[in-house]
Amino acid sequence: MSQSDSAALIAGYPLKAHNTFGFDVRAQFACRIEHESQLLAAVRDPRVAGLPRLVLGGGSNVVLTRDFAGLALLVALRGRKLVREDDDAWYVEAAAGEPWHDFVAWTLAQGLPGLENLALIPGTVGAAPIQNIGAYGLEMGERFASLRAVELATGAVVELDAEACQFGYRDSFFKREGRDRFVIVSVTFRLPKVWTPRAGYADLARELAANGHAGAQPGAQAIFDAVVAVRRAKLPDPLVLGNAGSFFKNPVVDAAQSDALKLKEPDLVSYPQADGRVKLAAGWLIDRCGWKGRSMGAAAVHERQALVLVNRGGASGEDVLALAQAIQQDVLARFGVKLEAEPVCL
Ligand code: EPU
């Protein structure tokens, strides 16, 4: 291995600033990746051969319960550009380490609408496809063209299209068969030239109406601004109060179970799905069990959105998982519904 190929590994690296819960854990080794060549050098470095790898972007979707005995890859690849256009769409590529929200703001500034509903989601571009981020009536998968990723085992660069990524609700190939196998290095989005607003989500429609957009069709910037306002009002800023956004997915149950629950709980918030099943608002279920605002030690349920667990200062990943388990038990006992964690728990 030549000198230029050897990776700049840092031993005993603190991850507190690399996970939005702010858990104070360390990685046995870490390597900051600013160029693809550094990624290849890091995964081939004999000092870390055989060790587990943890890919960290913004760290907004992980629960680190203990020190990580392996190599943390801190993805800091930057760059974004309009790569091509055809009659129907613009194609915009962003490197995996670009902060998601800044990227969305930049597309709008370039006159390329289409991602505005996903404003203010914490994390990086490279993390977006893994859980197929979504909010206020839009999922990233609807604007996705392809991505480039490095396969850890071989160092091969692969290009995956939407079909290969198998996007679902907060789900993709990278949470299943592809788990821990790839590092995403860039993502290309397809932004249709015929733009139509997605403004139907209740909280968003209310905010737009309050901003004077009740009758008229809102523009992309108005939607962006409204999403930012709604998120700021409901969701805690991870820089102020450690959290990983929604801690649980909204569970999807069959129609019979949903109907039975509705008889007992007429206020139950539910969304019929295309396949006949019904998605339930986990925040409502947790709230109904009385958990909103409650804490267990330094881990707590956010007081404005019961789906968000927070670190009030000094909590560990174990504390948050203990709180999550207590909530899961209550929701299962009361409603017969199993809540599944959204972030990756390590
Ligand atoms: N609700 C309550 N109590 C609560 C929280 C919610 O009764 O404490 C009710 C609300 O009144 C509303 C319903 O539950 O009727 C849904 O709440 P909300 O609109 O806040 O959305 P959500 O289903 O809780 C999902 C996403 C969020 C996303 C919003 C907006 C998931 C797991 N979460 O939350 O995504 O921002 O919709 O689209 O799908 C994230 O994934 O990290 C995230 C924040």
Side-chain angles (χ1 to χ4, degrees), residues 134-137 169-170 201 203 231 234-235 244-246 248-250 269 271 281 283-284 287 292 304-307 342:
Y136 304 101
Y169 164 63
R170 295 296 190 279
Y201 196 90
D203 275 351
R231 291 190 74 100
K234 267 203 162 178
L235 298 167
S246 297
F248 301 104
K249 293 189 201 183
N250 285 329
V269 180
Y271 315 92
W284 187 92
D287 196 351
K292 199 181 208 162
R304 289 194 301 278
Q305 167 47 297
L307 203 44
E342 194 191 85

Side-chain angles (χ1 to χ4, degrees), residues 86-170:
D86 55 26
D87 289 347
D88 303 323
W90 294 288
Y91 294 81
V92 182
E93 183 184 14
E98 286 289 328
W100 175 262
H101 174 73
D102 295 352
F103 170 63
V104 173
W106 175 83
T107 57
L108 289 186
Q110 305 302 303
L112 308 172
L115 295 172
E116 54 282 346
N117 293 61
L118 306 181
L120 217 62
I121 295 182
T124 55
V125 165
I130 293 179
Q131 61 155 334
N132 184 20
I133 58 172
Y136 304 101
L138 182 73
E139 283 184 353
M140 186 229 61
E142 298 174 73
R143 299 283 183 262
F144 177 91
S146 63
L147 60 76
R148 289 176 68 248
V150 170
E151 189 175 27
L152 285 166
T154 59
V157 177
V158 296
E159 180 153 344
L160 302 180
D161 62 10
E163 197 187 338
C165 291
Q166 300 168 26
F167 295 121
Y169 164 63
R170 295 296 190 279

